[in-house]
Amino acid sequence: MLYLDNIITAATIFPFVAIALTIPVLIYHYRRFGALTFWRSLVIYSFIFYLLAAYCLIILPLPPKSVVAHLTTPRYNLVPFTFVREFINTTHWVWNQPATYLATLKQAATIQPLFNIVLTIPFGVYLRYFFRTSFKQTLLLSFGLTLFFELTQLSGLYGIYPRPYRLFDVDDLLLNTGGGLIGFGLAPLLTYFLPTRDALDQAAYINGQKVGYLRRLLALGIDYCLLKLIGIIVTASWRLLKLPTFGNDVFYYMFRKWALLRPTARPLARSNTRQSYFAIKNYC
């Protein structure tokens, strides 16, 4: 039930967060291909939503800090395949008694390893289907994702808590990475009826041949935001260096620095803003 509660929480909160994070990615793809297709937008959104939901599952529920401060449970497990020994020692499974199978599936020693595998299966599917990664790249990226999850737990949610409230487990590294590889293997089967990545790109290129008003407006908006950002950075840097910041003195200061670097440069007398402007104009 704990995993189900976390999934419900993720499904309630993160769709809106995923939309906010998807928009910049969609803008990038729109600028690159000139158009957006329904399937591309859906795949990108679902991938971001999946990552948010997976992150939610490894940090929730958030306990009170006072409770975490008094925990005495182990912080980490560095012994691999501990989950196998726990399964053998704590479950009711008997290989030649099928009646024990259903009860075994309901026990924590079975549910937790299965959950860790299933958690990253979609990640492997996305990597092979949409990002077209190789087996080796999928292995490294799946390991990197699960390592990020485990370090998040080990750090006590980046220092917010006085100590870890979840176990850093080497078995989770193995199971999550294995889940990513399983997803890589299942990707052709699970995405059989979906358009291929090449088909998505081709459809976007075809739709992007015509530059419509929406694309022009979007390009204008992006260029305006970039110029504003550059202006903010330049202004902040200018003030931080305590350089002239009034009237045409900024232009005068930049020109004077350039003029003094010329072999035939001669100094310009600085007076008020209007005199500085005419001095530069006469110098040119």
Side-chain angles (χ1 to χ4, degrees):
M1 290 298 296
L2 178 61
Y3 296 132
L4 181 60
D5 293 339
N6 292 345
I7 293 173
I8 294 175
T9 302
T12 305
I13 299 174
F14 285 128
F16 305 101
V17 180
I19 291 175
L21 295 177
T22 303
I23 290 175
V25 181
L26 293 181
I27 291 175
Y28 165 76
H29 281 269
Y30 187 83
R31 289 278 289 176
R32 179 181 177 184
F33 297 102
L36 285 175
T37 61
F38 170 78
W39 280 111
R40 179 184 296 275
S41 302
L42 180 63
V43 170
I44 294 174
Y45 171 78
S46 63
F47 178 66
I48 294 177
F49 176 78
Y50 156 72
L51 291 178
L52 289 173
Y55 183 77
C56 174
L57 291 173
I58 63 104
I59 66 171
L60 295 181
L62 298 175
K65 290 185 179 180
S66 57
V67 174
V68 175
H70 293 87
L71 289 178
T72 58
T73 54
R75 297 171 181 257
Y76 51 82
N77 169 46
L78 301 180
V79 181
F81 302 108
T82 301
F83 72 94
V84 177
R85 291 188 290 272
E86 290 182 352
F87 178 84
I88 295 174
N89 296 330
T90 62
T91 63
H92 304 301
W93 181 73
V94 179
W95 70 271
N96 58 354
Q97 297 181 15
T100 63
Y101 292 178
L102 182 60
T104 301
L105 290 175
K106 298 179 180 180
Q107 292 184 277
T110 305
I111 295 175
Q112 185 171 351
L114 289 177
F115 167 77
N116 286 325
I117 294 174
V118 173
L119 179 64
T120 51
I121 288 179
F123 187 66
V125 175
Y126 278 109
L127 290 181
R128 182 171 184 178
Y129 167 67
F130 188 73
F131 298 99
R132 295 186 289 194
T133 59
S134 64
F135 180 86
K136 183 178 179 180
Q137 290 172 329
T138 304
L139 172 63
L140 295 176
L141 290 172
S142 298
F143 178 79
L145 178 67
T146 184
L147 182 61
F148 168 73
F149 288 162
E150 293 303 309
L151 291 178
T152 297
Q153 295 175 343
L154 182 63
S155 65
L157 200 58
Y158 319 115
I160 296 177
Y161 288 92
R163 56 151 290 163
Y165 62 91
R166 287 197 173 187
L167 184 71
F168 175 95
D169 197 342
V170 68
D171 284 342
D172 291 349
L173 291 173
L174 297 174
L175 294 170
N176 289 154
T177 304
L181 296 179
I182 292 174
F184 178 87
L186 294 177
L189 177 63
L190 297 177
T191 62
Y192 180 78
F193 294 102
L194 298 179
T196 64
R197 173 61 189 273
D198 291 333
L200 295 177
D201 293 344
Q202 185 65 24
Y205 277 123
I206 293 175
N207 293 335
Q209 294 300 313
K210 181 180 179 180
V211 182
Y213 292 106
L214 177 61
R215 186 178 179 186
R216 295 176 184 177
L217 182 62
L218 179 61
L220 177 63
I222 294 175
D223 293 341
Y224 174 79
C225 293
L226 289 176
L227 287 175
K228 291 291 290 185
L229 179 61
I230 293 173
I232 293 173
I233 295 174
V234 171
T235 302
S237 302
W238 202 273
R239 293 180 178 178
L240 183 63
L241 296 175
K242 297 181 179 180
L243 301 176
T245 58
F246 50 89
N248 289 329
D249 280 356
V250 173
F251 170 74
Y252 170 80
Y253 183 86
M254 296 176 63
F255 179 83
R256 186 172 182 273
K257 286 294 186 182
W258 168 78
L260 290 176
L261 295 176
R262 299 179 59 185
T264 59
R266 57 183 182 274
L268 296 175
R270 177 182 175 186
S271 55
N272 55 39
T273 302
R274 186 175 181 82
Q275 292 173 341
S276 300
Y277 171 77
F278 284 108
I280 293 172
K281 185 175 181 181
N282 294 333
Y283 182 79
C284 296

